[in-house]
Amino acid sequence: MRGKIVFFEVDQYEQELFREKLSGEGELVFYPHRLTHDNIDEAKPADYIVSFIYSDLSDRMLDQLPNLKGIATMSVGTDHIGLEETTRRSIPVCNVPAYGPNTVAEHAAALLLALSRRIVESVDRTREGVYEYTGLTGWDLKGKTIGIVGTGKIGAHVARIANGFEMKIIAYDPHPNTELTEKYGVEFMEMPQLLHRSDVVTLHVPLTPETKHMIGQEQFSQMKPGMVLINTARGALVDPNALLDALEKGVISQAGIDVLEDEGILKEEKEFFSSYFKLQDYQTALANHALMRHPKVIVTPHNAFNSKEALQNITQTTVDNIKGMLSGDRVNQVNHT
Ligand code: NAI
């Protein structure tokens, strides 16, 4: 046996795949639920933990896992993990760097089209048996300006798709990808300028302490009135209360959202009663509920990654990550140990 590998947030299908591909690699223990402070005892015997993003692997959890030797997250994002603490303790963290950046970009495009052509309201109407288009006028993407914030792997695919729609593409990234300028005429500029000029802003940046609430009251005040916001990156990039205020004032006319701040609580509302909960968390949860019910907003439940092709890539890369950690020949490590 090469150690105990404890998996959280894995369904039956994934469990079978991991059992098959990791046979003989260690003792495998599977839990379909996420790891929280309430069930930390399940993680304590683990040499390696595998999870998706709803598991809490922050510093306060890592403190209680003194024997941990490695973490494999089945995601691009690592904001659910106390990365500095893992580095300090020499615990390698491996992620799935690119399981299909087109997958998330296609979902961003789906949200945008659903808003521009009022697909959700249209389908709601016909499902009620009403076959009538009055009041469902949409708007064209062609000729509109899209502002891509973050032109990494996913943002680059968004540029490709927006180019297909003949949109004017502008972008902000501290490390501009000049290839996108050559291919699709993407014009890079600073954030305030981008906010001022965009008809649509779409976010594709990682969540870090620096990017938390990077779209807040100040940024909304710099936007072109009536702008459309798409967020398939991380909920906490946007201050939800400021977004509600911007919708109320018409600064934002529509929003398409796949990610909400502290979305874990929307999955398990018993978390509300946890002693870890602060007033701020309740306010965020209330704002999330208001956004989910808002007539100008469509929210999907962090579903952008969820295509058949992407899921196959996620499980295969996670298997490679685990084998790499066990053999010492690590791949896709995101921290420095
Ligand atoms: P990436 O690492 O390829 O690109 C991120 C880009 O953001 C980089 O070019 C970086 O320079 C830029 N950036 C960093 N800070 C910035 C800032 N303050 N302003 C503007 N740009 C900034 O990452 P990738 O693969 O494109 O993914 C982006 C994010 O999408 C991930 O970090 C993750 O949080 C999210 N994501 C969401 C999924 C979903 O299912 N909704 C699935 C996969 C990723």
Side-chain angles (χ1 to χ4, degrees), residues 18 23 45 79 93 109 125 130 159 161 176 190 203 219 231 259 264 288 314 323 330:
F18 284 127
S23 119
D79 44 276
V93 175
R125 191 178 284 189
V130 181
I161 294 169
E190 291 304 312
L203 305 178
Q219 288 69 30
N231 186 8
V259 281
N288 285 343
I314 290 172
K323 286 185 174 172
R330 292 176 205 142

Side-chain angles (χ1 to χ4, degrees), residues 203-313:
L203 305 178
H204 303 286
V205 307
L207 176 64
T208 62
E210 291 74 43
T211 60
K212 184 170 180 191
H213 290 187
M214 68 184 285
I215 305 291
Q217 215 161 14
E218 187 189 334
Q219 288 69 30
F220 284 117
S221 74
Q222 295 166 344
M223 287 175 185
K224 185 169 170 178
M227 204 205 68
V228 172
L229 180 69
I230 304 290
N231 186 8
T232 57
R234 281 293 179 271
L237 296 175
V238 180
D239 176 342
N241 288 302
L243 172 57
L244 283 166
D245 194 39
L247 282 157
E248 189 67 36
K249 291 181 177 145
V251 172
I252 296 287
S253 61
Q254 294 174 297
I257 295 174
D258 184 53
V259 281
L260 290 164
E261 185 168 2
D262 291 335
E263 57 194 23
I265 192 176
L266 295 166
K267 286 185 170 271
E268 284 174 55
E269 295 200 331
K270 71 174 166 34
E271 290 270 308
F272 262 130
F273 305 105
S274 143
S275 54
Y276 285 104
F277 246 70
K278 303 182 288 290
L279 179 61
Q280 175 70 44
D281 300 326
Y282 289 105
Q283 286 168 342
T284 305
L286 282 174
N288 285 343
H289 277 280
L291 286 170
M292 287 197 291
R293 284 168 177 72
H294 199 290
K296 299 274 171 64
V297 180
I298 54 174
V299 179
T300 49
H302 202 134
N303 199 32
F305 75 99
N306 196 8
S307 75
K308 281 184 200 160
E309 293 81 357
L311 290 179
Q312 275 166 6
N313 285 337

